[in-house]
Amino acid sequence: MPKSSLSRRDLLKLGGATAILSGCKSKAQANSPPEVKGVIFMVSDGMSHGVLTMAENFSNIVHGKGTHWWKLIDNNDATHGLMETSSANSMVTDSAAASSAWGGGVKINNTTVNVRPDGTESLPIMRQLKQLGHKTALVSTASITHATPAGFAAVTPNRDDEHLIAPQYLGVVDIILGGGMKFFDPRQRVDSRDAILPYQESGYDFLQDRDSLLKSKSEKLLGLFGKKHMEFEVDRLNDKELKKSIPTLAEMSEVALKRLLPAKEKFLIQIEGGRIDHGAHLNDIAGLLWDQLAFDDAIGKVLEMIQNRDDILLIVTSDHGNANPGLNGTGVKYKDSDEAFKKITRITSSHEKMIQDWRKQKSKDPVFLTTFIRKKLGITLTPEETQTLLASLTSKPFTEWSNQLSNPQGILGQIVGNHTGIGWTGTSHTSDPTIISAFGSQSDRFHGITPNQEIHRHLLELLA
Ligand SMILES: [Zn+2]
């Protein structure tokens, strides 16, 4: 028999193979990802790439174990890519344009929330989903009316008009947890209008502390745990009272997901670690890293809660880089780098709180400042470092060649960096793409490079 012709046995074999193949196909069809019931969209605001590595090393030092995001990056079932982050008017976006690209589907100018350059308005994703009867939630350690949460649910030409954003979540967002009391409370609002009462009248539980949040049985929540932003995690951890009264990002996320995961409706939740960005603006490495670890705790809690679900999509990303911090090699053959980095664990205050506390003392004595910094940051400044910092804090002239780093935040960041090895490129956002990690149903959509406004299309395709 010529080799090319097929015997009956070959045909049977082939038939069997075809049957197996077709069986595979139907099995593959049966295994096609289930319809997405909910999307959990997690944002480490202003997280430059180097933060991931530093958070992993920092977590290993302070917790004796690595981070959840690092593990997720090593998980073959997750998809990873980059997100392009430019805005309509700049290679460098702010949080308002970035979140509006996700929430409204088009790139717009910095500082605007879902208002396009031509003045027309986008319909934010949560308003669209609400019209379909879905559930929605915003959770943040920043003011909940800040740009990143607002981009999913609000419209305003100026992101700073947070008092105009506060009433806009009513009827749009079911669970609202974060800071921002001054934009809701009539005693603190610029127009003295009560922006809390309408929520209460619509069935929201109004919550102001950790206990009442954990005890609430309501499906609708308005929880405000800070006048503006919630405390930096490093300040919360070093204050017994704050630890008792203020919930963590992981706790707020758990409270929200306990309501969303069992619900019959589809849902979208945005969970933001809002103060990583602030730590970067302030060149405050301990402030930044402790908040990144708090964000990572929230990732861990979310992964635990969705472990038996195949109908949930988790996205973990950032809206833009900020100040590009990194550990620089120090000492001969870089042998001092590890010890320098470990000094960050001695820091017990954010730069923000430390400078506020120092100003309250009303002392311009260099010895006092040196002692003050040793107590709060665990490092001893040289006399030259103290003089330069004092000049910067009291607006006296001093030599600094980097325009980006010539403000007090940049000076303090550089001085702390002399001891910890941490360097910063500036005190503002950067043009870098961000990392996007996706896990769960339909996560393979997010490989390669995703332009930020494409997130909107994916969310609509998955949830509408
Ligand atoms: Zn920022």
Side-chain angles (χ1 to χ4, degrees):
M1 193 169 71
K3 265 192 174 171
S4 59
S5 70
L6 293 169
S7 69
R8 186 168 173 272
R9 205 173 64 186
D10 289 334
L11 279 170
L12 280 173
K13 259 197 214 164
L14 190 64
T18 312
I20 290 166
L21 278 176
S22 61
C24 279
K25 197 175 168 199
S26 60
K27 200 174 166 198
Q29 278 166 345
N31 282 348
S32 65
E35 195 184 0
V36 170
K37 156 86 191 304
V39 177
I40 302 167
F41 193 86
M42 299 188 70
V43 185
S44 170
D45 201 288
M47 192 201 76
S48 289
H49 291 208
V51 174
L52 265 185
T53 325
M54 289 191 291
E56 176 67 13
N57 290 331
F58 194 63
S59 180
N60 274 310
I61 295 167
V62 296
H63 292 325
K65 62 183 172 94
T67 60
H68 297 284
W69 197 348
W70 195 261
K71 232 180 275 166
L72 192 63
I73 289 174
D74 198 32
N75 183 338
N76 288 337
D77 292 331
T79 301
H80 309 281
L82 294 177
M83 182 154 55
E84 181 277 331
T85 63
S86 65
S87 69
N89 68 328
S90 175
M91 279 190 270
V92 180
T93 192
D94 75 339
S95 292
S99 185
S100 297
W102 297 334
V106 286
K107 286 188 187 294
I108 60 172
N109 293 339
N110 291 346
T111 75
T112 56
V113 179
N114 287 312
V115 177
R116 302 174 189 201
D118 66 3
T120 58
E121 296 179 357
S122 304
L123 190 62
I125 183 80
M126 285 188 172
R127 291 195 195 173
Q128 296 184 52
L129 297 180
K130 209 52 187 163
Q131 287 171 3
L132 300 170
H134 297 355
K135 284 188 173 280
T136 52
L138 292 173
V139 176
S140 177
T141 47
S143 157
I144 200 62
T145 45
H146 212 234
T148 304
F152 272 32
V155 179
T156 175
N158 182 359
R159 60 176 285 177
D160 293 334
D161 288 337
E162 292 188 52
H163 64 292
L164 299 181
I165 294 169
Q168 292 189 34
Y169 295 158
L170 190 62
V172 177
V173 188
D174 301 304
I175 298 169
I176 304 160
L177 302 174
M181 182 69 85
K182 67 183 274 197
F183 306 112
F184 288 84
D185 181 358
R187 289 162 300 181
Q188 298 179 62
R189 276 175 60 95
V190 287
D191 59 2
S192 306
R193 182 178 147 195
D194 190 341
I196 297 166
L197 192 62
Y199 284 93
Q200 290 173 307
E201 287 171 348
S202 298
Y204 285 74
D205 239 5
F206 174 53
L207 313 157
Q208 297 180 74
D209 59 53
R210 181 176 177 273
D211 267 359
S212 55
L213 173 73
L214 300 182
K215 281 184 194 143
S216 173
K217 297 271 182 284
S218 176
E219 283 295 303
K220 288 184 170 186
L221 304 173
L222 172 64
L224 302 173
F225 310 106
K227 188 177 174 193
K228 187 153 194 249
H229 305 308
M230 290 172 67
E231 300 287 341
F232 272 111
E233 179 69 0
V234 66
D235 294 329
R236 194 190 69 85
L237 286 171
N238 286 288
D239 186 316
K240 268 191 201 151
E241 280 307 305
L242 291 179
K243 264 174 107 168
K244 249 181 31 199
S245 63
I246 294 179
T248 64
L249 186 63
E251 286 170 339
M252 294 192 292
S253 305
E254 183 178 9
V255 163
L257 286 172
K258 269 186 180 164
R259 287 155 174 82
L260 298 176
L261 285 169
K264 60 181 193 314
E265 297 91 347
K266 289 186 174 186
F267 71 84
L268 173 64
I269 176 172
Q270 185 201 90
I271 298 171
E272 184 202 25
R275 307 225 64 190
I276 293 119
D277 181 63
H278 304 159
H281 281 299
L282 295 165
N283 281 193
D284 175 356
I285 192 60
L288 179 148
L289 284 177
W290 281 111
D291 263 80
Q292 181 67 20
L293 292 197
F295 177 76
D296 199 74
D297 286 345
I299 297 178
K301 178 51 72 181
V302 168
L303 286 170
E304 181 193 313
M305 292 180 83
I306 64 172
Q307 62 181 327
N308 296 320
R309 297 285 294 261
D310 61 359
D311 56 350
I312 303 296
L313 172 64
L314 167 65
I315 297 172
V316 189
T317 189
S318 178
D319 49 354
H320 49 75
N322 189 343
N324 268 336
L327 175 63
N328 296 269
T330 54
V332 179
K333 296 183 184 171
Y334 304 152
K335 69 175 174 41
D336 300 335
S337 309
D338 296 26
E339 282 311 308
F341 186 75
K342 281 183 194 155
K343 286 184 188 163
I344 301 168
T345 62
R346 300 184 201 160
I347 300 173
T348 55
S349 169
S350 65
H351 288 191
E352 182 179 77
K353 183 167 189 311
M354 186 197 70
I355 290 176
Q356 278 167 7
D357 290 349
W358 173 77
R359 288 197 194 282
K360 278 184 209 155
Q361 304 297 321
K362 297 195 186 310
S363 167
K364 293 185 180 153
D365 175 22
V367 177
F368 178 79
L369 181 60
T370 310
T371 311
F372 197 77
I373 292 211
R374 193 185 301 127
K375 198 170 148 221
K376 302 281 183 177
L377 305 187
I379 57 175
T380 304
L381 303 193
T382 64
E384 295 77 17
E385 286 172 335
T386 303
Q387 286 299 348
T388 306
L389 182 61
L390 201 52
S392 157
L393 289 170
T394 54
S395 305
K396 299 247 167 61
F398 62 94
T399 306
E400 164 58 58
W401 294 104
S402 163
N403 290 340
Q404 277 280 343
L405 295 170
S406 62
N407 49 24
Q409 299 91 297
I411 297 298
L412 184 54
Q414 288 176 77
I415 288 171
V416 172
N418 289 340
H419 301 260
T420 58
I422 303 301
W424 309 78
T425 59
T427 52
S428 56
H429 297 180
T430 63
S431 64
D432 307 318
T434 55
I435 294 169
I436 179 164
S437 296
F439 181 73
S441 189
Q442 307 247 3
S443 57
D444 53 355
R445 289 165 169 256
F446 301 96
H447 62 78
I449 298 170
T450 306
N452 59 1
Q453 76 274 18
E454 283 290 299
I455 293 290
H456 186 80
R457 176 177 63 80
H458 288 297
L459 292 176
L460 277 184
E461 282 175 10
L462 293 169
L463 294 173

